[in-house]
Structures are given as structure tokens and as C-alpha cells.
mmCIF file of all heavy atoms in Angstrom:
data_model
loop_
_atom_site.group_PDB
_atom_site.id
_atom_site.type_symbol
_atom_site.label_atom_id
_atom_site.label_comp_id
_atom_site.label_asym_id
_atom_site.label_seq_id
_atom_site.Cartn_x
_atom_site.Cartn_y
_atom_site.Cartn_z
ATOM 1 N N MET I 6 0.860 -1.203 -0.012
ATOM 2 C CA MET I 6 -0.024 -0.007 0.006
ATOM 3 C C MET I 6 0.862 1.243 -0.005
ATOM 4 O O MET I 6 1.871 1.307 0.686
ATOM 5 C CB MET I 6 -0.889 0.031 1.276
ATOM 6 C CG MET I 6 -1.864 1.115 1.294
ATOM 7 S SD MET I 6 -3.013 0.941 2.705
ATOM 8 C CE MET I 6 -1.927 1.318 4.060
ATOM 9 N N SER I 7 0.487 2.229 -0.799
ATOM 10 C CA SER I 7 1.219 3.460 -0.759
ATOM 11 C C SER I 7 0.215 4.637 -0.973
ATOM 12 O O SER I 7 -0.920 4.400 -1.278
ATOM 13 C CB SER I 7 2.295 3.526 -1.838
ATOM 14 O OG SER I 7 1.722 3.373 -3.129
ATOM 15 N N ILE I 8 0.739 5.776 -0.799
ATOM 16 C CA ILE I 8 -0.082 7.002 -0.855
ATOM 17 C C ILE I 8 0.230 7.763 -2.125
ATOM 18 O O ILE I 8 1.429 7.921 -2.496
ATOM 19 C CB ILE I 8 0.137 7.856 0.366
ATOM 20 C CG1 ILE I 8 -0.164 7.126 1.656
ATOM 21 C CG2 ILE I 8 -0.644 9.181 0.301
ATOM 22 C CD1 ILE I 8 -1.566 6.734 1.851
ATOM 23 N N THR I 9 -0.775 8.301 -2.784
ATOM 24 C CA THR I 9 -0.505 9.152 -3.962
ATOM 25 C C THR I 9 -1.410 10.381 -3.801
ATOM 26 O O THR I 9 -2.357 10.396 -3.071
ATOM 27 C CB THR I 9 -0.798 8.377 -5.279
ATOM 28 O OG1 THR I 9 -0.354 9.163 -6.363
ATOM 29 C CG2 THR I 9 -2.299 8.114 -5.418
ATOM 30 N N VAL I 10 -1.058 11.409 -4.577
ATOM 31 C CA VAL I 10 -1.870 12.647 -4.571
ATOM 32 C C VAL I 10 -2.685 12.705 -5.856
ATOM 33 O O VAL I 10 -2.171 12.594 -6.972
ATOM 34 C CB VAL I 10 -0.942 13.883 -4.474
ATOM 35 C CG1 VAL I 10 -1.798 15.127 -4.319
ATOM 36 C CG2 VAL I 10 0.002 13.732 -3.299
ATOM 37 N N ASN I 11 -4.003 12.833 -5.671
ATOM 38 C CA ASN I 11 -4.900 12.850 -6.784
ATOM 39 C C ASN I 11 -4.900 14.267 -7.452
ATOM 40 O O ASN I 11 -5.340 15.227 -6.843
ATOM 41 C CB ASN I 11 -6.311 12.492 -6.288
ATOM 42 C CG ASN I 11 -7.335 12.379 -7.411
ATOM 43 O OD1 ASN I 11 -7.235 13.025 -8.440
ATOM 44 N ND2 ASN I 11 -8.355 11.575 -7.146
ATOM 45 N N GLY I 12 -4.412 14.333 -8.656
ATOM 46 C CA GLY I 12 -4.321 15.588 -9.345
ATOM 47 C C GLY I 12 -5.678 16.233 -9.659
ATOM 48 O O GLY I 12 -5.744 17.438 -9.957
ATOM 49 N N ALA I 13 -6.717 15.453 -9.619
ATOM 50 C CA ALA I 13 -8.070 15.994 -9.864
ATOM 51 C C ALA I 13 -8.632 16.690 -8.636
ATOM 52 O O ALA I 13 -9.555 17.472 -8.735
ATOM 53 C CB ALA I 13 -8.974 14.898 -10.341
ATOM 54 N N LYS I 14 -8.034 16.357 -7.492
ATOM 55 C CA LYS I 14 -8.511 16.980 -6.217
ATOM 56 C C LYS I 14 -7.581 18.063 -5.737
ATOM 57 O O LYS I 14 -8.039 19.008 -5.069
ATOM 58 C CB LYS I 14 -8.660 15.879 -5.152
ATOM 59 C CG LYS I 14 -9.767 14.885 -5.441
ATOM 60 C CD LYS I 14 -9.884 13.854 -4.357
ATOM 61 C CE LYS I 14 -11.020 12.873 -4.605
ATOM 62 N NZ LYS I 14 -11.123 11.844 -3.556
ATOM 63 N N CYS I 15 -6.297 17.910 -6.003
ATOM 64 C CA CYS I 15 -5.343 18.923 -5.509
ATOM 65 C C CYS I 15 -5.360 20.141 -6.453
ATOM 66 O O CYS I 15 -5.194 19.993 -7.659
ATOM 67 C CB CYS I 15 -3.928 18.314 -5.557
ATOM 68 S SG CYS I 15 -2.618 19.479 -5.137
ATOM 69 N N PRO I 16 -5.541 21.338 -5.939
ATOM 70 C CA PRO I 16 -5.670 22.555 -6.795
ATOM 71 C C PRO I 16 -4.325 22.962 -7.362
ATOM 72 O O PRO I 16 -4.338 23.651 -8.423
ATOM 73 C CB PRO I 16 -6.221 23.623 -5.836
ATOM 74 C CG PRO I 16 -5.891 23.139 -4.457
ATOM 75 C CD PRO I 16 -5.918 21.652 -4.503
ATOM 76 N N GLN I 17 -3.229 22.533 -6.783
ATOM 77 C CA GLN I 17 -1.922 22.846 -7.383
ATOM 78 C C GLN I 17 -1.698 24.319 -7.610
ATOM 79 O O GLN I 17 -1.187 24.706 -8.662
ATOM 80 C CB GLN I 17 -1.677 22.031 -8.670
ATOM 81 C CG GLN I 17 -1.828 20.522 -8.417
ATOM 82 C CD GLN I 17 -1.955 19.732 -9.698
ATOM 83 O OE1 GLN I 17 -1.011 19.680 -10.502
ATOM 84 N NE2 GLN I 17 -3.095 19.084 -9.899
ATOM 85 N N ASP I 18 -2.136 25.118 -6.673
ATOM 86 C CA ASP I 18 -1.952 26.574 -6.788
ATOM 87 C C ASP I 18 -1.336 27.210 -5.531
ATOM 88 O O ASP I 18 -1.414 28.390 -5.377
ATOM 89 C CB ASP I 18 -3.267 27.246 -7.165
ATOM 90 C CG ASP I 18 -4.360 27.117 -6.120
ATOM 91 O OD1 ASP I 18 -4.086 26.448 -5.088
ATOM 92 O OD2 ASP I 18 -5.451 27.622 -6.326
ATOM 93 N N HIS I 19 -0.774 26.356 -4.708
ATOM 94 C CA HIS I 19 -0.163 26.868 -3.467
ATOM 95 C C HIS I 19 0.842 25.871 -2.920
ATOM 96 O O HIS I 19 0.859 24.720 -3.391
ATOM 97 C CB HIS I 19 -1.226 27.176 -2.408
ATOM 98 C CG HIS I 19 -2.087 25.959 -2.042
ATOM 99 N ND1 HIS I 19 -3.234 25.607 -2.700
ATOM 100 C CD2 HIS I 19 -1.861 24.979 -1.119
ATOM 101 C CE1 HIS I 19 -3.722 24.513 -2.160
ATOM 102 N NE2 HIS I 19 -2.922 24.118 -1.202
ATOM 103 N N ARG I 20 1.609 26.305 -1.998
ATOM 104 C CA ARG I 20 2.553 25.392 -1.345
ATOM 105 C C ARG I 20 1.708 24.419 -0.520
ATOM 106 O O ARG I 20 0.861 24.819 0.264
ATOM 107 C CB ARG I 20 3.472 26.206 -0.381
ATOM 108 C CG ARG I 20 4.514 25.365 0.360
ATOM 109 C CD ARG I 20 5.565 24.797 -0.561
ATOM 110 N NE ARG I 20 6.602 24.102 0.178
ATOM 111 C CZ ARG I 20 7.476 23.277 -0.365
ATOM 112 N NH1 ARG I 20 7.445 23.063 -1.694
ATOM 113 N NH2 ARG I 20 8.437 22.710 0.355
ATOM 114 N N CYS I 21 1.965 23.128 -0.704
ATOM 115 C CA CYS I 21 1.195 22.105 -0.023
ATOM 116 C C CYS I 21 1.466 22.109 1.483
ATOM 117 O O CYS I 21 2.620 21.840 1.899
ATOM 118 C CB CYS I 21 1.506 20.749 -0.620
ATOM 119 S SG CYS I 21 0.743 19.353 0.342
ATOM 120 N N PRO I 22 0.481 22.434 2.335
ATOM 121 C CA PRO I 22 0.748 22.491 3.744
ATOM 122 C C PRO I 22 0.917 21.116 4.384
ATOM 123 O O PRO I 22 1.479 21.022 5.488
ATOM 124 C CB PRO I 22 -0.532 23.194 4.293
ATOM 125 C CG PRO I 22 -1.592 22.870 3.290
ATOM 126 C CD PRO I 22 -0.863 22.817 1.942
ATOM 127 N N ALA I 23 0.539 20.047 3.675
ATOM 128 C CA ALA I 23 0.698 18.716 4.233
ATOM 129 C C ALA I 23 2.194 18.315 4.282
ATOM 130 O O ALA I 23 2.542 17.409 5.038
ATOM 131 C CB ALA I 23 -0.057 17.699 3.368
ATOM 132 N N ILE I 24 3.026 19.003 3.549
ATOM 133 C CA ILE I 24 4.476 18.706 3.575
ATOM 134 C C ILE I 24 4.962 18.855 5.031
ATOM 135 O O ILE I 24 5.801 18.060 5.471
ATOM 136 C CB ILE I 24 5.197 19.701 2.648
ATOM 137 C CG1 ILE I 24 4.905 19.378 1.186
ATOM 138 C CG2 ILE I 24 6.712 19.671 2.924
ATOM 139 C CD1 ILE I 24 5.399 20.367 0.183
ATOM 140 N N ASN I 25 4.400 19.823 5.726
ATOM 141 C CA ASN I 25 4.882 20.052 7.089
ATOM 142 C C ASN I 25 4.329 19.114 8.149
ATOM 143 O O ASN I 25 4.790 19.106 9.266
ATOM 144 C CB ASN I 25 4.590 21.516 7.490
ATOM 145 C CG ASN I 25 5.347 22.508 6.654
ATOM 146 O OD1 ASN I 25 6.467 22.230 6.229
ATOM 147 N ND2 ASN I 25 4.752 23.644 6.451
ATOM 148 N N VAL I 26 3.309 18.357 7.796
ATOM 149 C CA VAL I 26 2.728 17.450 8.796
ATOM 150 C C VAL I 26 3.230 16.029 8.659
ATOM 151 O O VAL I 26 3.024 15.221 9.558
ATOM 152 C CB VAL I 26 1.157 17.454 8.757
ATOM 153 C CG1 VAL I 26 0.633 18.887 8.954
ATOM 154 C CG2 VAL I 26 0.614 16.844 7.555
ATOM 155 N N CYS I 27 3.854 15.688 7.568
ATOM 156 C CA CYS I 27 4.363 14.332 7.371
ATOM 157 C C CYS I 27 5.519 14.074 8.322
ATOM 158 O O CYS I 27 6.550 14.747 8.278
ATOM 159 C CB CYS I 27 4.842 14.125 5.955
ATOM 160 S SG CYS I 27 5.615 12.514 5.700
ATOM 161 N N PRO I 28 5.414 13.061 9.204
ATOM 162 C CA PRO I 28 6.459 12.800 10.198
ATOM 163 C C PRO I 28 7.722 12.216 9.550
ATOM 164 O O PRO I 28 8.778 12.199 10.183
ATOM 165 C CB PRO I 28 5.803 11.817 11.121
ATOM 166 C CG PRO I 28 4.768 11.132 10.322
ATOM 167 C CD PRO I 28 4.224 12.208 9.384
ATOM 168 N N LEU I 29 7.634 11.717 8.320
ATOM 169 C CA LEU I 29 8.787 11.145 7.659
ATOM 170 C C LEU I 29 9.407 12.018 6.588
ATOM 171 O O LEU I 29 10.299 11.604 5.881
ATOM 172 C CB LEU I 29 8.382 9.801 7.056
ATOM 173 C CG LEU I 29 8.361 8.541 7.941
ATOM 174 C CD1 LEU I 29 9.720 8.262 8.516
ATOM 175 C CD2 LEU I 29 7.331 8.666 9.091
ATOM 176 N N ASP I 30 8.878 13.211 6.436
ATOM 177 C CA ASP I 30 9.366 14.144 5.400
ATOM 178 C C ASP I 30 9.312 13.454 4.045
ATOM 179 O O ASP I 30 10.241 13.613 3.243
ATOM 180 C CB ASP I 30 10.776 14.581 5.758
ATOM 181 C CG ASP I 30 11.173 15.910 5.081
ATOM 182 O OD1 ASP I 30 10.234 16.627 4.649
ATOM 183 O OD2 ASP I 30 12.386 16.149 4.927
ATOM 184 N N ALA I 31 8.236 12.737 3.758
ATOM 185 C CA ALA I 31 8.107 11.967 2.547
ATOM 186 C C ALA I 31 7.456 12.696 1.353
ATOM 187 O O ALA I 31 7.372 12.158 0.279
ATOM 188 C CB ALA I 31 7.333 10.686 2.830
ATOM 189 N N ILE I 32 6.970 13.889 1.653
ATOM 190 C CA ILE I 32 6.215 14.639 0.599
ATOM 191 C C ILE I 32 7.108 15.755 0.104
ATOM 192 O O ILE I 32 7.699 16.511 0.860
ATOM 193 C CB ILE I 32 4.906 15.234 1.170
ATOM 194 C CG1 ILE I 32 4.085 14.171 1.879
ATOM 195 C CG2 ILE I 32 4.124 15.912 0.075
ATOM 196 C CD1 ILE I 32 2.888 14.713 2.685
ATOM 197 N N SER I 33 7.181 15.834 -1.252
ATOM 198 C CA SER I 33 7.935 16.931 -1.863
ATOM 199 C C SER I 33 7.047 17.578 -2.920
ATOM 200 O O SER I 33 6.041 17.082 -3.333
ATOM 201 C CB SER I 33 9.229 16.373 -2.523
ATOM 202 O OG SER I 33 8.893 15.455 -3.528
ATOM 203 N N GLN I 34 7.479 18.783 -3.285
ATOM 204 C CA GLN I 34 6.681 19.528 -4.267
ATOM 205 C C GLN I 34 7.604 20.454 -5.066
ATOM 206 O O GLN I 34 8.431 21.134 -4.467
ATOM 207 C CB GLN I 34 5.598 20.358 -3.555
ATOM 208 C CG GLN I 34 4.648 21.128 -4.454
ATOM 209 C CD GLN I 34 3.665 21.952 -3.696
ATOM 210 O OE1 GLN I 34 3.974 22.446 -2.595
ATOM 211 N NE2 GLN I 34 2.480 22.141 -4.252
ATOM 212 N N ASP I 35 7.408 20.441 -6.357
ATOM 213 C CA ASP I 35 8.162 21.302 -7.255
ATOM 214 C C ASP I 35 7.300 22.575 -7.500
ATOM 215 O O ASP I 35 6.292 22.462 -8.203
ATOM 216 C CB ASP I 35 8.487 20.591 -8.569
ATOM 217 C CG ASP I 35 9.356 21.412 -9.478
ATOM 218 O OD1 ASP I 35 9.818 22.496 -9.091
ATOM 219 O OD2 ASP I 35 9.588 20.967 -10.634
ATOM 220 N N GLY I 36 7.696 23.662 -6.920
ATOM 221 C CA GLY I 36 6.848 24.880 -7.042
ATOM 222 C C GLY I 36 5.493 24.676 -6.439
ATOM 223 O O GLY I 36 5.387 24.174 -5.304
ATOM 224 N N HIS I 37 4.476 24.985 -7.220
ATOM 225 C CA HIS I 37 3.097 24.747 -6.763
ATOM 226 C C HIS I 37 2.488 23.518 -7.482
ATOM 227 O O HIS I 37 1.277 23.372 -7.575
ATOM 228 C CB HIS I 37 2.208 25.974 -7.023
ATOM 229 C CG HIS I 37 2.518 27.128 -6.094
ATOM 230 N ND1 HIS I 37 1.908 28.343 -6.202
ATOM 231 C CD2 HIS I 37 3.332 27.158 -5.011
ATOM 232 C CE1 HIS I 37 2.430 29.150 -5.250
ATOM 233 N NE2 HIS I 37 3.270 28.471 -4.513
ATOM 234 N N GLY I 38 3.385 22.666 -7.977
ATOM 235 C CA GLY I 38 2.928 21.505 -8.727
ATOM 236 C C GLY I 38 2.337 20.404 -7.840
ATOM 237 O O GLY I 38 2.221 20.593 -6.611
ATOM 238 N N LEU I 39 1.973 19.310 -8.437
ATOM 239 C CA LEU I 39 1.371 18.228 -7.709
ATOM 240 C C LEU I 39 2.402 17.627 -6.729
ATOM 241 O O LEU I 39 3.478 17.210 -7.159
ATOM 242 C CB LEU I 39 0.901 17.126 -8.701
ATOM 243 C CG LEU I 39 0.047 16.011 -8.126
ATOM 244 C CD1 LEU I 39 -1.320 16.556 -7.670
ATOM 245 C CD2 LEU I 39 -0.135 14.904 -9.145
ATOM 246 N N PRO I 40 2.060 17.597 -5.432
ATOM 247 C CA PRO I 40 3.017 17.004 -4.463
ATOM 248 C C PRO I 40 3.269 15.541 -4.784
ATOM 249 O O PRO I 40 2.385 14.816 -5.302
ATOM 250 C CB PRO I 40 2.254 17.146 -3.134
ATOM 251 C CG PRO I 40 1.316 18.280 -3.346
ATOM 252 C CD PRO I 40 0.869 18.126 -4.793
ATOM 253 N N GLN I 41 4.506 15.101 -4.470
ATOM 254 C CA GLN I 41 4.892 13.714 -4.722
ATOM 255 C C GLN I 41 5.201 13.062 -3.389
ATOM 256 O O GLN I 41 5.823 13.652 -2.541
ATOM 257 C CB GLN I 41 6.138 13.684 -5.588
ATOM 258 C CG GLN I 41 6.008 14.388 -6.919
ATOM 259 C CD GLN I 41 4.988 13.688 -7.845
ATOM 260 O OE1 GLN I 41 4.988 12.477 -7.997
ATOM 261 N NE2 GLN I 41 4.160 14.480 -8.525
ATOM 262 N N VAL I 42 4.750 11.820 -3.225
ATOM 263 C CA VAL I 42 5.032 11.057 -2.043
ATOM 264 C C VAL I 42 6.088 10.013 -2.407
ATOM 265 O O VAL I 42 5.990 9.238 -3.312
ATOM 266 C CB VAL I 42 3.768 10.349 -1.502
ATOM 267 C CG1 VAL I 42 4.116 9.446 -0.304
ATOM 268 C CG2 VAL I 42 2.717 11.379 -1.097
ATOM 269 N N ASP I 43 7.232 10.058 -1.608
ATOM 270 C CA ASP I 43 8.279 9.074 -1.801
ATOM 271 C C ASP I 43 7.825 7.723 -1.237
ATOM 272 O O ASP I 43 7.667 7.539 -0.020
ATOM 273 C CB ASP I 43 9.523 9.566 -1.067
ATOM 274 C CG ASP I 43 10.682 8.585 -1.143
ATOM 275 O OD1 ASP I 43 10.505 7.449 -1.610
ATOM 276 O OD2 ASP I 43 11.794 8.989 -0.754
ATOM 277 N N PRO I 44 7.571 6.733 -2.088
ATOM 278 C CA PRO I 44 7.062 5.460 -1.640
ATOM 279 C C PRO I 44 8.019 4.701 -0.741
ATOM 280 O O PRO I 44 7.604 3.820 0.024
ATOM 281 C CB PRO I 44 6.788 4.672 -2.952
ATOM 282 C CG PRO I 44 7.679 5.327 -3.930
ATOM 283 C CD PRO I 44 7.824 6.752 -3.532
ATOM 284 N N ASP I 45 9.293 5.012 -0.833
ATOM 285 C CA ASP I 45 10.281 4.326 0.015
ATOM 286 C C ASP I 45 10.313 4.909 1.449
ATOM 287 O O ASP I 45 10.658 4.207 2.373
ATOM 288 C CB ASP I 45 11.676 4.439 -0.597
ATOM 289 C CG ASP I 45 11.776 3.672 -1.906
ATOM 290 O OD1 ASP I 45 11.092 2.617 -1.991
ATOM 291 O OD2 ASP I 45 12.460 4.130 -2.802
ATOM 292 N N ALA I 46 9.890 6.145 1.534
ATOM 293 C CA ALA I 46 9.907 6.829 2.881
ATOM 294 C C ALA I 46 8.543 6.726 3.549
ATOM 295 O O ALA I 46 8.445 6.667 4.800
ATOM 296 C CB ALA I 46 10.293 8.276 2.717
ATOM 297 N N CYS I 47 7.482 6.698 2.817
ATOM 298 C CA CYS I 47 6.125 6.766 3.339
ATOM 299 C C CYS I 47 5.763 5.445 4.075
ATOM 300 O O CYS I 47 6.055 4.338 3.599
ATOM 301 C CB CYS I 47 5.122 6.937 2.215
ATOM 302 S SG CYS I 47 3.411 6.910 2.704
ATOM 303 N N ILE I 48 5.208 5.603 5.249
ATOM 304 C CA ILE I 48 4.749 4.433 6.075
ATOM 305 C C ILE I 48 3.233 4.313 6.105
ATOM 306 O O ILE I 48 2.676 3.589 6.881
ATOM 307 C CB ILE I 48 5.299 4.513 7.521
ATOM 308 C CG1 ILE I 48 4.855 5.849 8.169
ATOM 309 C CG2 ILE I 48 6.800 4.437 7.503
ATOM 310 C CD1 ILE I 48 5.138 5.899 9.689
ATOM 311 N N SER I 49 2.568 5.067 5.205
ATOM 312 C CA SER I 49 1.099 5.024 5.111
ATOM 313 C C SER I 49 0.389 5.257 6.412
ATOM 314 O O SER I 49 -0.575 4.619 6.758
ATOM 315 C CB SER I 49 0.661 3.675 4.510
ATOM 316 O OG SER I 49 1.158 3.499 3.189
ATOM 317 N N CYS I 50 0.888 6.254 7.149
ATOM 318 C CA CYS I 50 0.305 6.604 8.465
ATOM 319 C C CYS I 50 -1.009 7.354 8.309
ATOM 320 O O CYS I 50 -1.778 7.461 9.278
ATOM 321 C CB CYS I 50 1.292 7.386 9.300
ATOM 322 S SG CYS I 50 1.633 9.072 8.655
ATOM 323 N N MET I 51 -1.235 7.955 7.138
ATOM 324 C CA MET I 51 -2.455 8.684 6.785
ATOM 325 C C MET I 51 -2.603 10.041 7.460
ATOM 326 O O MET I 51 -3.641 10.654 7.399
ATOM 327 C CB MET I 51 -3.698 7.816 7.094
ATOM 328 C CG MET I 51 -3.695 6.491 6.361
ATOM 329 S SD MET I 51 -3.489 6.627 4.559
ATOM 330 C CE MET I 51 -5.182 7.207 4.139
ATOM 331 N N VAL I 52 -1.521 10.511 8.077
ATOM 332 C CA VAL I 52 -1.588 11.859 8.642
ATOM 333 C C VAL I 52 -1.885 12.912 7.557
ATOM 334 O O VAL I 52 -2.720 13.783 7.773
ATOM 335 C CB VAL I 52 -0.244 12.208 9.350
ATOM 336 C CG1 VAL I 52 -0.147 13.671 9.694
ATOM 337 C CG2 VAL I 52 -0.090 11.377 10.631
ATOM 338 N N CYS I 53 -1.264 12.777 6.419
ATOM 339 C CA CYS I 53 -1.491 13.708 5.327
ATOM 340 C C CYS I 53 -2.928 13.593 4.820
ATOM 341 O O CYS I 53 -3.600 14.611 4.531
ATOM 342 C CB CYS I 53 -0.521 13.489 4.196
ATOM 343 S SG CYS I 53 -0.488 11.817 3.529
ATOM 344 N N ALA I 54 -3.410 12.368 4.716
ATOM 345 C CA ALA I 54 -4.767 12.160 4.192
ATOM 346 C C ALA I 54 -5.802 12.762 5.161
ATOM 347 O O ALA I 54 -6.799 13.344 4.716
ATOM 348 C CB ALA I 54 -5.022 10.671 3.991
ATOM 349 N N ASP I 55 -5.567 12.621 6.448
ATOM 350 C CA ASP I 55 -6.481 13.168 7.444
ATOM 351 C C ASP I 55 -6.393 14.719 7.459
ATOM 352 O O ASP I 55 -7.388 15.386 7.740
ATOM 353 C CB ASP I 55 -6.168 12.623 8.838
ATOM 354 C CG ASP I 55 -6.508 11.156 8.951
ATOM 355 O OD1 ASP I 55 -7.311 10.635 8.164
ATOM 356 O OD2 ASP I 55 -5.968 10.503 9.866
ATOM 357 N N TYR I 56 -5.244 15.223 7.124
ATOM 358 C CA TYR I 56 -4.993 16.642 7.203
ATOM 359 C C TYR I 56 -5.543 17.415 5.988
ATOM 360 O O TYR I 56 -6.151 18.477 6.126
ATOM 361 C CB TYR I 56 -3.533 16.922 7.369
ATOM 362 C CG TYR I 56 -3.112 18.370 7.353
ATOM 363 C CD1 TYR I 56 -3.197 19.156 8.497
ATOM 364 C CD2 TYR I 56 -2.645 18.959 6.189
ATOM 365 C CE1 TYR I 56 -2.870 20.468 8.489
ATOM 366 C CE2 TYR I 56 -2.302 20.280 6.145
ATOM 367 C CZ TYR I 56 -2.406 21.071 7.294
ATOM 368 O OH TYR I 56 -2.076 22.352 7.261
ATOM 369 N N CYS I 57 -5.369 16.878 4.828
ATOM 370 C CA CYS I 57 -5.669 17.633 3.570
ATOM 371 C C CYS I 57 -7.175 17.903 3.447
ATOM 372 O O CYS I 57 -7.995 16.955 3.380
ATOM 373 C CB CYS I 57 -5.184 16.842 2.369
ATOM 374 S SG CYS I 57 -5.591 17.603 0.782
ATOM 375 N N PRO I 58 -7.579 19.183 3.394
ATOM 376 C CA PRO I 58 -8.976 19.498 3.307
ATOM 377 C C PRO I 58 -9.613 19.115 1.973
ATOM 378 O O PRO I 58 -10.844 19.048 1.834
ATOM 379 C CB PRO I 58 -9.041 21.021 3.520
ATOM 380 C CG PRO I 58 -7.658 21.533 3.165
ATOM 381 C CD PRO I 58 -6.757 20.404 3.470
ATOM 382 N N MET I 59 -8.793 18.882 0.966
ATOM 383 C CA MET I 59 -9.271 18.503 -0.362
ATOM 384 C C MET I 59 -9.410 17.013 -0.496
ATOM 385 O O MET I 59 -9.900 16.517 -1.516
ATOM 386 C CB MET I 59 -8.326 19.063 -1.441
ATOM 387 C CG MET I 59 -8.071 20.554 -1.405
ATOM 388 S SD MET I 59 -9.620 21.496 -1.473
ATOM 389 C CE MET I 59 -10.118 21.200 -3.177
ATOM 390 N N GLY I 60 -8.943 16.250 0.469
ATOM 391 C CA GLY I 60 -8.957 14.784 0.377
ATOM 392 C C GLY I 60 -8.141 14.292 -0.778
ATOM 393 O O GLY I 60 -8.449 13.277 -1.375
ATOM 394 N N ALA I 61 -7.054 14.992 -1.051
ATOM 395 C CA ALA I 61 -6.257 14.684 -2.248
ATOM 396 C C ALA I 61 -5.250 13.505 -2.046
ATOM 397 O O ALA I 61 -4.790 12.949 -3.013
ATOM 398 C CB ALA I 61 -5.515 15.914 -2.763
ATOM 399 N N PHE I 62 -4.949 13.196 -0.804
ATOM 400 C CA PHE I 62 -4.057 12.076 -0.511
ATOM 401 C C PHE I 62 -4.827 10.793 -0.428
ATOM 402 O O PHE I 62 -5.720 10.674 0.394
ATOM 403 C CB PHE I 62 -3.230 12.309 0.773
ATOM 404 C CG PHE I 62 -2.235 13.421 0.643
ATOM 405 C CD1 PHE I 62 -2.620 14.760 0.740
ATOM 406 C CD2 PHE I 62 -0.894 13.142 0.389
ATOM 407 C CE1 PHE I 62 -1.666 15.797 0.649
ATOM 408 C CE2 PHE I 62 0.035 14.181 0.250
ATOM 409 C CZ PHE I 62 -0.370 15.467 0.374
ATOM 410 N N GLU I 63 -4.499 9.873 -1.303
ATOM 411 C CA GLU I 63 -5.278 8.620 -1.386
ATOM 412 C C GLU I 63 -4.397 7.401 -1.308
ATOM 413 O O GLU I 63 -3.235 7.433 -1.792
ATOM 414 C CB GLU I 63 -6.045 8.621 -2.710
ATOM 415 C CG GLU I 63 -6.993 9.781 -2.852
ATOM 416 C CD GLU I 63 -7.752 9.784 -4.193
ATOM 417 O OE1 GLU I 63 -7.272 9.108 -5.125
ATOM 418 O OE2 GLU I 63 -8.753 10.519 -4.303
ATOM 419 N N GLU I 64 -4.940 6.345 -0.784
ATOM 420 C CA GLU I 64 -4.255 5.070 -0.765
ATOM 421 C C GLU I 64 -4.316 4.386 -2.107
ATOM 422 O O GLU I 64 -5.339 4.415 -2.763
ATOM 423 C CB GLU I 64 -4.923 4.101 0.251
ATOM 424 C CG GLU I 64 -4.608 4.383 1.660
ATOM 425 C CD GLU I 64 -5.274 3.380 2.572
ATOM 426 O OE1 GLU I 64 -6.161 2.657 2.136
ATOM 427 O OE2 GLU I 64 -4.908 3.339 3.797
ATOM 428 N N LEU I 65 -3.232 3.803 -2.498
ATOM 429 C CA LEU I 65 -3.176 2.980 -3.721
ATOM 430 C C LEU I 65 -3.043 1.553 -3.338
ATOM 431 O O LEU I 65 -2.307 1.212 -2.393
ATOM 432 C CB LEU I 65 -1.997 3.379 -4.580
ATOM 433 C CG LEU I 65 -2.122 4.585 -5.505
ATOM 434 C CD1 LEU I 65 -0.856 4.677 -6.317
ATOM 435 C CD2 LEU I 65 -3.333 4.532 -6.413
ATOM 436 N N GLY I 66 -3.632 0.696 -4.047
ATOM 437 C CA GLY I 66 -3.436 -0.718 -3.841
ATOM 438 C C GLY I 66 -4.034 -1.349 -2.639
ATOM 439 O O GLY I 66 -4.691 -0.799 -1.828
HETATM 440 S S1 SF4 D 2 0.978 8.673 4.810
HETATM 441 FE FE1 SF4 D 2 2.256 9.495 6.530
HETATM 442 S S2 SF4 D 2 4.361 8.992 5.932
HETATM 443 FE FE2 SF4 D 2 3.111 8.783 4.079
HETATM 444 S S3 SF4 D 2 3.264 10.794 3.069
HETATM 445 FE FE3 SF4 D 2 1.385 10.824 4.364
HETATM 446 S S4 SF4 D 2 2.069 11.722 6.309
HETATM 447 FE FE4 SF4 D 2 3.932 11.081 5.198
#
């Protein structure tokens, strides 16, 4: 299981605030683009999914 960011839900027009809540520093973002989750670092704790008001962080698999 891993986490991905749904581009249809993420507005991609601001710095992703979920970057600061990830305890593993697994989320990165290029400018205001779609945030990326490092599958090797992510432990699927769902902190980002619970935090994001857009519900853009989703489980895969
Ligand atoms: S599920 Fe947890 S470890 Fe994975 S990106 Fe979200 S906050 Fe970070």
C-alpha cells in the first residue's frame, strides 16, 4: 500500500501544507505542482490524508 496525490482533487496553486505534517518528510513539491510522495519513505500513516482539506491524498493498492 502506498499513498498518492490525486491531481483532480489537488488545486496545485499553493505550497502544499501537508508537507509540514508528514512525520517522515516523505512529501515533496516542485513549485506549486502536484505534491509527490516518496514510496520508500512513506509508512502510510495517513496523517497527510487526514489533514488535507481537499482529500487529495489517497491510498493505492
Ligand atoms: S501517509 Fe504518513 S508517511 Fe506517508 S506521506 Fe502521508 S504523512 Fe507522510
Side-chain angles (χ1 to χ4, degrees):
M6 185 173 71
S7 62
I8 301 295
T9 190
V10 186
N11 185 332
K14 293 182 178 177
C15 175
Q17 302 166 66
D18 63 359
H19 57 271
R20 180 69 175 167
C21 174
I24 290 171
N25 293 330
V26 305
C27 174
L29 277 298
D30 202 20
I32 307 169
S33 61
Q34 184 182 31
D35 184 6
H37 289 174
L39 190 67
Q41 303 294 317
V42 176
D43 179 349
D45 294 325
C47 177
I48 57 170
S49 299
C50 68
M51 303 305 286
V52 167
C53 56
D55 291 340
Y56 175 83
C57 177
M59 305 303 291
F62 289 82
E63 300 177 344
E64 283 181 347
L65 278 184

